[in-house]
Amino acid sequence: MDFRDVCDIFGGTVFLEEPRGSFATAHEQIKHLEQSVADGSNDEKAAILLLKAIHAALIGSLFGDDEKPKFQQYMRPLYLGDYGPRWQFRIKAYIVLVSSWQFYPPLFRFCSLERGPMSMLLDTISQAHANNSRLVKELLELVDEVEPLDELEFRIIREVWTLSQRALEAARLSNPSYLYHALGSNNSNHKPEVFENCCSRLADVRELAEALSFDTISNYAERLIFEVRQAQGSSDSSDRLKNLKMRYAASNDEVGIGICCILRADSLVSGPFTNPIALNLLPVDGWDYLGSDTNLNELDYVPKLSKVYSLDAESLTRNVSDVSEELESIHLKETAATVDDSQDPWEVAANAAIVCYREAEEIFSRAGAIRGQGLAISRRACTLLTQELLPRSYWDDRDRSILDEIKSLFEQSCELFVRAGDTMLVKLTQMHLMLLASHGNNDIHEVKHTIGEWGYENGNWTYTAQLGLLAFRLGDHLRYECGSSSRARWSYECASSVLSMLRSQGTPFFQLQCAIVSLLLSTSSPKAGKLYVQLAKISFEERVKVELEKAAEQDRSWSLAIGYFGMVLADLLIASCRKWEDATTMRKICSDQLRVVESYDSSPGSQKWLRRKRAVIQLYSLISEYEEDLDRGDWETGESKLNDFLDRTDVSEDEDIDTKLARIDVCLHLQKFDMAQNLLKTVDVCELLTEFSTSLASLPNLEGNLYKRRRSIKAYENKLQRCINARDWRKSAELVELLGSFSPDHFEFPGNYSYVEPWQRFLWIGLLQESQKKYEMSYRSFTQSLLVFHYEWIGVSDQEQRRSQLNHDDFNRIAAALARFHLRRHNSETPVQSISSRKVDGQNVRIVERWNTDINLSKDAGQVDALEALERGKALSIAASLSFKAESSITDVREWDRTHHRFRTWLDLQTLGRPRTEDEEKEYQLLDKSTLELDLGANPLNVDKRPLSEQVLEYPGILEGIPDDTAVIYYGLSNDGLALLSIARTGILSAIWNPDISASATRRMVCRYVGSITEQKDSTPEDWLISLALSMSEVFIKPVQADIKSRSQIIFVPSGDLARFPMGALYMDNIPLSLQKSVFQVPSLSALYHLRQRPMCTQSRVSVIARPGNMREDGEAALPMAGIEALLVGRTFGSTPLEASGVSKDRFREELERCSIMHLSTHGYFDTSAPMLSYISLQERFRVIDMLTVRTKAVLVIFSACVSGTGITNKGDDVLGFSHAILAAGAHVYLGALWAANDLVTMIHMILFYVQLALTERPTRLAELWHQATRMLYFAKPYQIKGLLTSYLGRWDDIEAAGLLPNQFVRNGRRKLQKSIDEWITPSGEPVLDLKHPYYWANFVMIGNANITMHAAPTAV
């Protein structure tokens, strides 16, 4: 079987670039041939082995040791066997070919993805080069002794190898569009004769094939000549393509004509070093180019999305005209032959290319070339996708039909590739589908792991790595060019998943590639960086450290690459530390990894740099400690530490820019704006520009024309952010002007190169415009900021990423700024009556058309607009959860819940800021083994497809949940001030903006009150607490007191830390609100509306669980009164209480899902470092995070447990704690404790509540029942409490008389209750506990729709 026969089996050639034949059909033919030569000669057996080897190579199965058939397994017996010299000659040629494919995949041959250290990407590449050179040399010595077809076979294979190594390299070096020329580099390696020699050798192959009448190979050689000439930028490439088409036509090669259509279309929409299937991303991001052959002075570190190189109308007209001629010559549709200067060149080129792709598809379909048909379809999809990814197009209101069409085209092509058995193109198409899907369906989520696994298992490492780098570059493009970090993270995540599978094969530099991807994920959301832990575990293991050291010794360029990475690593880590809530968690990781940087460079400059970085990390940890002190109520200690640092006079002269910025951040954190402004005067932007490139002595100066602009933007944004936060408006204006010189529409359009979120830029410019009294402009900027944020937020279904976005430091300032504008307008402080439409850079940008219309800014609408603005930034996570109405696919919902639960648990355990307990460590290790399986897939409730209007209501619908006798006090906190509104069902009663009360100041007040009670309990001086509550009431109640005085019920919509404050403990007319009115909280008015729409449990079933603790269990104190509380509650409603120590997680879920009322009395624990790991004590810990797996319709859930009602509030007013988690799980009302509870008083309080519920003769609101119970507790005389306890003793006896054995549930319970009765009144006649102390009566907070009325039917009272 000679070369011609081999090619016939595979449809005409054995080259991947030629979309001929079907690999599935070839596989069947090979099986048939194998059966027919079962007893054949050695030649026949060798031919079968060769065919199998070629087939394995064509489908991407190259090397590996498993049992799956691969090229290596079929070639080994041929190479080692005794099949004669001819077969030795042929198999060596194919080894050269497959090595070429392995390390220079033809699908990405022209994309330059293999440049720089990528050419040494894998450990085996250099060895492969040496092996191939040796084999080629051996073959050249034998070429005169073989048959002509064998010689042709070898020569074309050798030129394919040479093409990958030399011809394209020579073409690039001579093309003015190539990187070296764009950077102005004088490349001494450029030798035109090398290129011409390669082309001459290809021409020799073509002539040899023609002499042997082998048309497909002669035409393939001509195609290669055209491609390298085009890569060189040759002016005759268009004529060569026409000649190539004529050659195909002369040989009646319809597939060849289709190939010409694809080549012509590619030339229209791609540059010489890009490719439609690579989405035309130019690989000039710098990470791939830190090699010995790279000019480091001029690097652009972000890939660009190429449109088309010849953008002038004349050149484009010529190209489109060529298309028209070619299509006419094969009787196809004609395209426009001229291009008007007013037309968008890209649109014209793309439309012409799509015509070509369509015609190629028809040609391939007629010819039965399904691989070619799939290629044409996928290229058409990529062209459409490229249009969607252009920065200006990206922020248009999306036409879902176009995206659906692109997805459909990829699915069609994928199906065709599957039918053709072309696994490599299947993986490529799956990668595009995956990138297009964002957080798509579960199948797509699984694909991103299978791609990496497939590449690793089949030895197809470089091709798989290039798929990962495609995703990596797309992430950079979306982040920096389009301004969409949420979409970028998905691309980074795809890249991480694919690249991580190849780590064991990678060189040290490749390890760094994977680490960089992980760090990019982790900086935007430290907990969402799913491979961050793998960075610590794998990328810096001892083996890699050794390899780094060896590489540094062997090659100076490697030392530069590693040094540069170390600097980037430190900068990224410090960026993570600047998130206060993560500083403690990050400190140890930072220190450990800085030691790695230290290990390869011990120069004095590096050591000095490392000391500075460590000092900065320690400083941010000090801020974290301050927050912890504040949570404990010990604000003086934490503030004293920070003030001591700020007052230091011994600051060394070599204080670097990072330390200066850290000091400024401390001032801003303490809201010492004057000091921050003075420190900002010492920060020169030049320091910010040079620090990044000169931190390590071993690094070159990276300044250059291309990179300088990007670093300048980063530096100016860095300082601008602090100037805005410090209220230094003069300097802010200067920096905005400077940024405008680098990026003219930097504050006008989202799709600009930037290191910050686009909505942040719009917020900043709006704040600056507001300070300049440019209210019309500021309103536009604030509105655009909110719209862009929502556009990004709604499009993300990953729940952790959503939480991260809502916890951004600047997020709550957007809604507050809009509210402030509208309230000023209402108070006639803003002299603006209307805002007219306008354009951005002469073009309507559709994403902002919603605010580009005339807007009525009448004074009367100001308060309404303020409320709507605040609601759009209020508790969006809980509002989204509560608005879910889908009940159909409950199985999918539950499966997603379980997966999400495992994922969040792994994240929280992985980034825990304290040592893990033994049980936590076991759980973490178990989850960590299946890290790659923890992806969520699509939320079955389609959160990303539901408009915001379904989650956040507008006025007046937002008022529907407010009863007639109720007033709502609505808060909106940010560090710019407080928005305070009072609202009734009839409308907004009053609205106030207080610039003197910030979120930070409120946090200090709340922490002083709650922290003191938490630490000192009832030892906290009552007078001091009353004084603090009175001062807070002056701010949070008195401005709206007239509006609420006549109302019988108050609903609080808290903001910031007010969510963990007992709002009923605030005063009106020197009396706590809880004693005057019914009081409860809701996350937002939209949340209240959605709670009212929820279905309720139709069964009247009360579930009671308690942990009386008959003996000390697991170090926990006994809770006998909790047990008695459970017995009495259960007796009231005919329910048998369950012992908590016997209730597993699954049983607890079942109880929650079946009951109408859940009452739980047990221990509760709050974890400040990981609030989602806070728990209640059952048979095992039931954590907040475990609520993710619960779906309930319970009307009322009460956790009569310590700290079960508190949590951490993010910047979006979502509470990380049981309160919001239980509401999100489906409950209507939740009651929990803000601090450690006294079990005796809690029992009394709860029984009073349930007695009110049981005795009421008419349905009564839950809030009113709790109000009555609180009043009874507060005003009870000592003898009344003693009487209550005595009645409980009587009920104990009744239970015992009924044969229910209460003593088995609470050991010695009666005796302990009797003791409490005996000790309640002291000899002086005073109660043993002062029930008027807020520690007792203000502990529990009711959250949810407490307007619900209940009328229980007790079995006994």
Side-chain angles (χ1 to χ4, degrees):
M1 181 175 287
D2 59 25
F3 185 36
R4 194 188 304 272
D5 297 326
V6 171
C7 290
D8 287 343
I9 292 288
F10 293 100
T13 67
V14 292
F15 300 106
L16 279 167
E17 306 96 309
E18 294 280 282
R20 300 175 183 276
S22 163
F23 299 155
T25 302
H27 181 60
E28 293 301 317
Q29 288 182 287
I30 294 169
K31 286 171 62 178
H32 179 73
L33 285 172
E34 185 178 21
Q35 293 172 359
S36 65
V37 299
D39 299 321
S41 64
N42 272 358
D43 273 4
E44 290 173 323
K45 292 178 180 178
I48 296 299
L49 285 173
L50 180 61
L51 288 174
K52 286 184 174 182
I54 295 172
H55 177 265
L58 288 169
I59 64 173
S61 297
L62 305 181
F63 303 101
D65 297 327
D66 61 14
E67 297 178 357
K68 295 179 182 178
K70 293 183 175 64
F71 174 81
Q72 170 185 278
Q73 291 176 317
Y74 294 125
M75 278 306 215
R76 187 180 292 117
L78 278 173
Y79 192 81
L80 301 176
D82 186 16
Y83 290 97
R86 182 192 177 210
W87 288 105
Q88 284 290 311
F89 181 88
R90 295 186 70 188
I91 63 174
K92 288 178 180 178
Y94 279 101
I95 290 173
V96 172
L97 176 65
V98 173
S99 293
S100 168
W101 289 347
Q102 183 186 17
F103 301 115
Y104 302 99
L107 290 172
F108 293 102
R109 180 178 287 155
F110 293 92
C111 298
S112 298
L113 292 175
E114 79 285 356
R115 296 291 304 130
M118 274 295 293
S119 64
M120 298 179 290
L121 179 67
L122 306 165
D123 291 331
T124 53
I125 287 184
S126 58
Q127 182 181 354
H129 277 287
N131 289 343
N132 278 2
S133 298
R134 176 178 55 80
L135 289 174
V136 168
K137 185 176 180 180
E138 293 174 3
L139 290 167
L140 284 171
E141 294 174 355
L142 300 172
V143 72
D144 295 333
E145 302 176 15
V146 297
E147 298 294 325
L149 275 175
D150 295 341
E151 179 187 350
L152 174 62
E153 187 175 35
F154 159 64
R155 287 193 182 279
I156 187 65
I157 286 173
R158 184 188 70 163
E159 297 314 324
V160 168
W161 168 252
T162 304
L163 181 73
S164 299
Q165 286 194 107
R166 302 183 62 194
L168 279 176
E169 178 67 11
R172 291 187 184 108
L173 294 178
S174 58
N175 189 321
S177 298
Y178 185 47
L179 178 67
Y180 287 120
H181 297 274
L183 299 179
S185 172
N186 296 319
N187 196 308
S188 58
N189 294 325
H190 172 40
K191 298 178 181 179
E193 62 274 15
V194 174
F195 174 79
E196 294 301 332
N197 180 50
C198 291
C199 291
S200 176
R201 284 164 47 180
L202 282 169
D204 292 341
V205 171
R206 181 196 61 205
E207 292 171 4
L208 177 59
E210 289 172 347
L212 295 171
S213 302
F214 206 154
D215 292 339
T216 54
I217 297 301
S218 65
N219 291 337
Y220 176 62
E222 181 65 21
R223 172 186 170 179
L224 294 180
I225 295 173
F226 158 74
E227 288 178 331
V228 295
R229 288 284 185 188
Q230 186 184 45
Q232 182 207 23
S234 174
S235 59
D236 65 348
S237 60
S238 182
D239 293 335
R240 286 185 175 276
L241 182 57
K242 293 178 183 178
N243 293 334
L244 177 60
K245 189 210 62 158
M246 293 173 60
R247 290 175 63 93
Y248 283 126
S251 57
N252 296 316
D253 188 347
E254 201 166 13
V255 174
I257 295 174
I259 290 172
C260 286
C261 287
I262 285 183
L263 292 174
R264 171 58 72 189
D266 286 356
S267 68
L268 281 168
V269 293
S270 299
F273 311 115
T274 59
N275 191 314
I277 62 174
L279 303 179
N280 291 340
L281 290 168
L282 289 177
V284 290
D285 56 9
W287 304 118
D288 292 347
Y289 288 91
L290 284 174
S292 57
D293 59 346
T294 304
N295 182 348
L296 288 172
N297 291 330
E298 300 280 0
L299 289 181
D300 190 0
Y301 280 83
V302 178
K304 296 177 180 177
L305 188 66
S306 169
K307 295 182 182 178
V308 62
Y309 277 69
S310 300
L311 290 179
D312 58 286
E314 181 181 353
S315 300
L316 189 56
T317 298
R318 185 172 62 252
N319 286 342
V320 174
S321 178
D322 290 341
V323 172
S324 300
E325 290 179 18
E326 291 175 16
L327 295 180
E328 284 178 354
S329 68
I330 52 177
H331 311 293
L332 300 176
K333 298 176 183 177
E334 182 177 351
T335 61
T338 60
V339 181
D340 190 278
D341 285 335
S342 62
Q343 293 178 273
D344 181 357
W346 165 253
E347 293 291 337
V348 175
N351 291 336
I354 286 172
V355 171
C356 291
Y357 290 137
R358 286 183 182 275
E359 301 308 333
E361 179 186 347
E362 292 183 16
I363 294 171
F364 289 133
S365 179
R366 290 197 303 268
I370 57 177
R371 288 180 62 237
Q373 191 179 353
L375 274 175
I377 293 173
S378 62
R379 274 171 151 75
R380 179 152 57 98
C382 287
T383 302
L384 291 171
L385 183 56
T386 299
Q387 286 181 285
E388 290 292 300
L389 293 174
L390 294 173
R392 286 286 173 182
S393 304
Y394 184 82
W395 289 96
D396 290 355
D397 274 346
R398 293 305 175 88
D399 183 350
R400 293 297 309 180
S401 62
I402 294 178
L403 295 176
D404 290 342
E405 179 188 359
I406 295 170
K407 181 180 178 182
S408 176
L409 290 173
F410 279 129
E411 289 172 343
Q412 290 176 44
S413 61
C414 190
E415 183 180 349
L416 289 168
F417 295 143
V418 170
R419 284 172 50 197
D422 193 332
T423 309
M424 293 181 71
L425 285 175
V426 168
K427 298 302 176 187
L428 174 65
T429 312
Q430 286 177 338
M431 193 73 193
H432 285 114
L433 276 170
M434 185 167 61
L435 294 172
L436 182 66
S438 185
H439 286 268
N441 57 49
N442 287 314
D443 292 338
I444 290 296
H445 260 269
E446 293 173 4
V447 164
K448 76 175 186 288
H449 301 312
T450 60
I451 289 175
E453 291 170 356
W454 170 82
Y456 177 74
E457 292 172 358
N458 290 281
N460 213 332
W461 304 312
T462 306
Y463 177 70
T464 308
Q466 289 177 340
L467 293 180
L469 289 171
L470 168 62
F472 183 31
R473 291 191 168 91
L474 180 60
D476 275 358
H477 172 77
L478 292 171
R479 173 68 184 91
Y480 295 112
E481 298 295 333
C482 295
S484 177
S485 60
S486 63
R487 270 69 171 187
R489 289 186 194 116
W490 171 244
S491 295
Y492 289 143
E493 188 175 325
C494 293
S496 294
S497 298
V498 173
L499 294 175
S500 63
M501 296 303 299
L502 306 178
R503 274 192 305 261
S504 61
Q505 291 294 323
T507 59
F509 190 88
F510 188 70
Q511 301 280 353
L512 302 184
Q513 281 275 25
C514 298
I516 288 168
V517 174
S518 303
L519 284 166
L520 287 170
L521 277 170
S522 69
T523 50
S524 48
S525 173
K527 290 188 178 181
K530 299 202 312 182
L531 286 180
Y532 193 85
V533 65
Q534 295 179 12
L535 164 69
K537 290 195 308 179
I538 297 174
S539 294
F540 291 101
E541 284 180 348
E542 197 63 36
R543 181 183 68 83
V544 179
K545 294 179 187 177
V546 172
E547 290 182 3
L548 291 174
E549 293 168 1
K550 289 181 180 178
E553 293 173 1
Q554 295 168 0
D555 187 348
R556 177 62 173 169
S557 67
W558 279 103
S559 179
L560 294 178
I562 298 162
Y564 182 80
F565 173 79
M567 185 170 56
V568 172
L569 169 68
D571 281 358
L572 291 174
L573 291 172
I574 287 174
S576 295
C577 279
R578 285 183 176 134
K579 295 179 179 292
W580 319 118
E581 67 273 15
D582 297 300
T584 302
T585 304
M586 299 294 292
R587 177 168 48 180
K588 185 177 184 301
I589 299 174
C590 293
S591 299
D592 290 346
Q593 296 192 11
L594 284 174
R595 280 197 293 272
V596 175
V597 181
E598 186 178 16
S599 67
Y600 67 78
D601 193 343
S602 58
S603 65
S606 295
Q607 294 303 305
K608 179 179 178 181
W609 175 80
L610 287 164
R611 284 195 301 273
R612 290 172 172 173
K613 299 301 178 187
R614 287 200 182 95
V616 172
I617 291 169
Q618 289 293 331
L619 176 57
Y620 284 111
S621 296
L622 195 63
I623 297 176
S624 179
E625 292 172 12
Y626 163 74
E627 292 296 320
E628 293 172 1
D629 291 335
L630 199 59
D631 283 331
R632 291 194 299 268
D634 184 14
W635 65 96
E636 292 97 341
T637 300
E639 197 163 317
S640 174
K641 292 178 185 176
L642 292 178
N643 283 323
D644 287 346
F645 175 82
L646 292 176
D647 294 338
R648 279 173 50 191
T649 57
D650 60 335
V651 177
S652 59
E653 294 182 359
D654 68 340
E655 181 181 42
D656 70 335
I657 187 64
D658 274 326
T659 310
K660 290 180 181 179
L661 294 177
R663 286 163 59 80
I664 293 168
D665 288 340
V666 170
C667 294
L668 295 176
H669 202 62
L670 297 175
Q671 293 197 298
K672 297 190 174 186
F673 300 126
D674 291 340
M675 185 178 291
Q677 291 176 16
N678 289 331
L679 285 170
L680 277 165
K681 294 176 182 177
T682 68
V683 176
D684 190 342
V685 174
C686 293
E687 289 183 274
L688 293 167
L689 285 171
T690 57
E691 171 69 14
F692 192 63
S693 60
T694 57
S695 296
L696 289 178
S698 61
L699 285 175
N701 189 337
L702 293 177
E703 288 202 29
N705 293 333
L706 292 175
Y707 188 47
K708 182 177 181 180
R709 172 179 172 271
R710 307 223 184 262
R711 286 193 302 105
S712 298
I713 289 174
K714 178 182 179 181
Y716 292 137
E717 285 181 339
N718 201 330
K719 187 170 183 180
L720 174 61
Q721 180 175 16
R722 289 171 171 83
C723 288
I724 291 288
N725 291 337
R727 281 70 162 168
D728 189 342
W729 304 118
R730 183 189 61 79
K731 192 62 180 177
S732 297
E734 294 176 6
L735 291 167
V736 165
E737 186 177 349
L738 286 169
L739 278 165
S741 67
F742 288 100
S743 179
D745 59 353
H746 199 70
F747 297 97
E748 296 286 341
F749 184 72
N752 279 292
Y753 182 85
S754 175
Y755 279 83
V756 297
E757 304 283 357
W759 60 264
Q760 274 184 282
R761 301 200 306 270
F762 302 141
L763 171 65
W764 294 348
I765 192 65
L767 292 170
L768 175 60
Q769 291 161 345
E770 183 184 37
S771 73
Q772 299 168 338
K773 300 185 186 290
K774 299 176 181 178
Y775 296 116
E776 174 183 342
M777 298 173 68
S778 72
Y779 175 74
R780 288 186 176 281
S781 299
F782 294 147
T783 306
Q784 190 176 19
S785 177
L786 187 63
L787 287 173
V788 170
F789 179 88
H790 282 160
Y791 182 84
E792 288 272 85
W793 187 78
I794 292 175
V796 175
S797 61
D798 181 275
Q799 300 301 298
E800 175 62 24
Q801 188 175 328
R802 281 184 153 218
R803 288 187 184 92
S804 173
Q805 288 177 316
L806 293 177
N807 203 32
H808 196 288
D809 289 336
D810 277 340
F811 168 64
N812 58 10
R813 301 180 75 180
I814 309 174
L818 279 169
R820 182 169 64 250
F821 171 86
H822 292 304
L823 294 180
R824 276 206 190 100
R825 192 183 92 216
H826 176 76
N827 296 324
S828 300
E829 296 176 19
T830 305
V832 179
Q833 292 302 316
S834 65
I835 293 180
S836 58
S837 61
R838 66 169 182 173
K839 296 182 178 180
V840 177
D841 284 354
Q843 299 178 358
N844 276 318
V845 183
R846 276 170 258 167
I847 187 63
V848 294
E849 279 183 358
R850 282 167 285 180
W851 56 270
N852 268 345
T853 56
D854 291 335
I855 300 171
N856 178 20
L857 294 181
S858 66
K859 175 180 176 180
D860 295 339
Q863 292 182 333
V864 171
D865 291 339
L867 175 60
E868 289 186 342
L870 290 170
E871 195 70 5
R872 276 160 175 72
K874 176 74 71 175
L876 293 181
S877 288
I878 187 69
S881 298
L882 294 175
S883 61
F884 290 156
K885 298 179 178 65
E887 293 289 335
S888 55
S889 55
I890 192 67
T891 302
D892 291 341
V893 171
R894 289 186 181 279
E895 181 57 35
W896 189 86
D897 285 342
R898 283 192 289 268
T899 308
H900 186 205
H901 166 248
R902 294 174 63 223
F903 173 66
R904 284 298 313 276
T905 305
W906 176 79
L907 286 174
D908 279 343
L909 290 174
Q910 178 236 312
T911 56
L912 201 55
R914 56 168 173 76
R916 288 188 283 268
T917 65
E918 184 178 346
D919 289 341
E920 287 173 339
E921 184 62 31
K922 289 179 182 177
E923 184 179 19
Y924 172 72
Q925 293 299 334
L926 184 64
L927 290 172
D928 195 49
K929 291 178 182 178
S930 57
T931 300
L932 297 179
E933 301 170 7
L934 293 182
D935 290 298
L936 303 183
N939 188 320
L941 298 172
N942 294 323
V943 62
D944 56 328
K945 297 181 180 178
R946 294 162 56 254
L948 188 68
S949 59
E950 291 185 16
Q951 304 171 35
V952 179
L953 273 69
E954 296 182 352
Y955 190 91
I958 200 173
L959 307 181
E960 289 183 12
I962 306 174
D964 292 332
D965 62 342
T966 300
V968 174
I969 303 181
Y970 195 109
Y971 302 101
L973 276 166
S974 73
N975 272 336
D976 297 314
L978 166 69
L980 173 58
L981 289 79
S982 61
I983 307 165
R985 188 180 182 86
T986 55
I988 300 173
L989 304 175
S990 61
I992 299 159
W993 175 260
N994 186 341
D996 299 323
I997 302 299
S998 66
S1000 297
T1002 302
R1003 173 167 169 70
R1004 284 192 285 272
M1005 287 188 281
V1006 170
C1007 287
R1008 291 174 70 187
Y1009 190 99
V1010 176
S1012 296
I1013 291 182
T1014 300
E1015 289 291 308
Q1016 303 177 48
K1017 301 183 180 179
D1018 58 353
S1019 299
T1020 311
E1022 186 176 349
D1023 291 343
W1024 182 85
L1025 289 174
I1026 292 173
S1027 173
L1028 182 56
L1030 285 169
S1031 65
M1032 292 179 67
S1033 301
E1034 290 290 316
V1035 175
F1036 299 110
I1037 298 296
K1038 191 171 183 178
V1040 295
Q1041 181 169 316
D1043 301 326
I1044 67 174
K1045 203 160 191 176
S1046 62
R1047 311 281 173 167
S1048 61
Q1049 180 172 264
I1050 306 297
I1051 301 176
F1052 285 99
V1053 182
S1055 180
D1057 284 275
L1058 291 176
R1060 60 190 188 94
F1061 183 82
M1063 302 303 292
L1066 295 177
Y1067 282 73
M1068 183 174 69
D1069 295 334
N1070 294 322
I1071 301 173
L1073 278 172
S1074 284
L1075 305 181
Q1076 303 182 57
K1077 304 174 185 297
S1078 303
V1079 171
F1080 67 94
Q1081 297 181 15
V1082 292
S1084 67
L1085 287 180
S1086 295
L1088 177 60
Y1089 173 87
H1090 293 306
L1091 282 166
R1092 293 177 66 245
Q1093 310 305 311
R1094 275 195 162 173
M1096 284 191 262
C1097 181
T1098 56
Q1099 300 177 359
S1100 180
R1101 185 177 185 277
V1102 178
S1103 179
V1104 182
I1105 303 172
R1107 191 182 185 93
N1110 295 321
M1111 58 187 68
R1112 184 171 291 272
E1113 300 170 352
D1114 301 326
E1116 293 183 330
L1119 295 174
M1121 296 306 158
I1124 297 172
E1125 174 187 322
L1127 284 169
L1128 299 182
V1129 172
R1131 180 66 171 166
T1132 301
F1133 298 103
S1135 176
T1136 302
L1138 301 175
E1139 165 63 68
S1141 60
V1143 177
S1144 65
K1145 283 185 178 181
D1146 290 338
R1147 176 66 186 276
F1148 186 64
R1149 291 188 193 98
E1150 291 174 8
E1151 292 293 322
L1152 265 176
E1153 292 175 359
R1154 294 165 52 200
C1155 67
S1156 57
I1157 296 177
M1158 161 63 73
H1159 183 89
L1160 173 66
S1161 300
T1162 184
H1163 286 289
Y1165 299 89
F1166 180 66
D1167 192 330
T1168 55
S1169 62
M1172 294 298 284
L1173 298 183
S1174 303
Y1175 66 93
I1176 50 173
S1177 182
L1178 300 173
Q1179 185 182 78
E1180 51 195 320
R1181 296 180 176 184
F1182 194 90
R1183 301 163 300 190
V1184 175
I1185 203 168
D1186 297 324
M1187 289 302 303
L1188 294 172
T1189 63
V1190 176
R1191 295 277 163 179
T1192 182
K1193 295 180 182 177
V1195 177
L1196 174 63
V1197 175
I1198 296 179
F1199 281 5
S1200 180
C1202 298
V1203 292
S1204 56
T1206 191
I1208 298 294
T1209 309
N1210 67 14
K1211 301 298 188 298
D1213 291 336
D1214 282 303
V1215 177
L1216 301 181
F1218 274 116
S1219 59
H1220 282 204
I1222 288 174
L1223 293 182
H1228 289 258
V1229 182
Y1230 173 70
L1231 188 67
L1234 294 174
W1235 46 76
N1238 176 281
D1239 63 337
L1240 176 62
V1241 176
T1242 298
M1243 176 188 71
I1244 298 171
H1245 205 168
M1246 292 297 166
I1247 299 303
L1248 287 171
F1249 168 73
Y1250 282 112
V1251 167
Q1252 294 301 312
L1253 174 60
L1255 289 178
T1256 182
E1257 296 180 356
R1258 58 180 176 78
T1260 305
R1261 290 188 300 222
L1262 289 174
E1264 173 62 21
L1265 294 172
W1266 184 252
H1267 165 60
Q1268 293 172 9
T1270 302
R1271 281 181 55 86
M1272 293 174 70
L1273 178 72
Y1274 184 90
F1275 290 112
K1277 305 296 184 183
Y1279 70 89
Q1280 292 175 316
I1281 296 296
K1282 189 170 183 177
L1284 282 173
L1285 294 174
T1286 303
S1287 70
Y1288 300 163
L1289 193 63
R1291 293 188 67 187
W1292 174 284
D1293 293 339
D1294 293 341
I1295 295 171
E1296 197 165 40
L1300 298 180
L1301 305 175
N1303 199 58
Q1304 289 187 2
F1305 190 72
V1306 186
R1307 188 74 54 84
N1308 299 320
R1310 193 182 192 287
R1311 181 174 60 80
K1312 292 175 181 177
L1313 185 55
Q1314 182 65 59
K1315 183 180 178 182
S1316 297
I1317 295 171
D1318 296 341
E1319 295 177 351
W1320 182 254
I1321 299 178
T1322 65
S1324 63
E1326 297 297 323
V1328 69
L1329 300 176
D1330 179 11
L1331 298 184
K1332 288 183 170 54
H1333 194 289
Y1335 169 71
Y1336 296 111
W1337 64 266
N1339 190 2
F1340 285 86
V1341 58
M1342 187 169 278
I1343 302 170
N1345 182 22
N1347 291 317
I1348 288 178
T1349 59
M1350 292 191 73
H1351 179 56
T1355 58
V1357 178

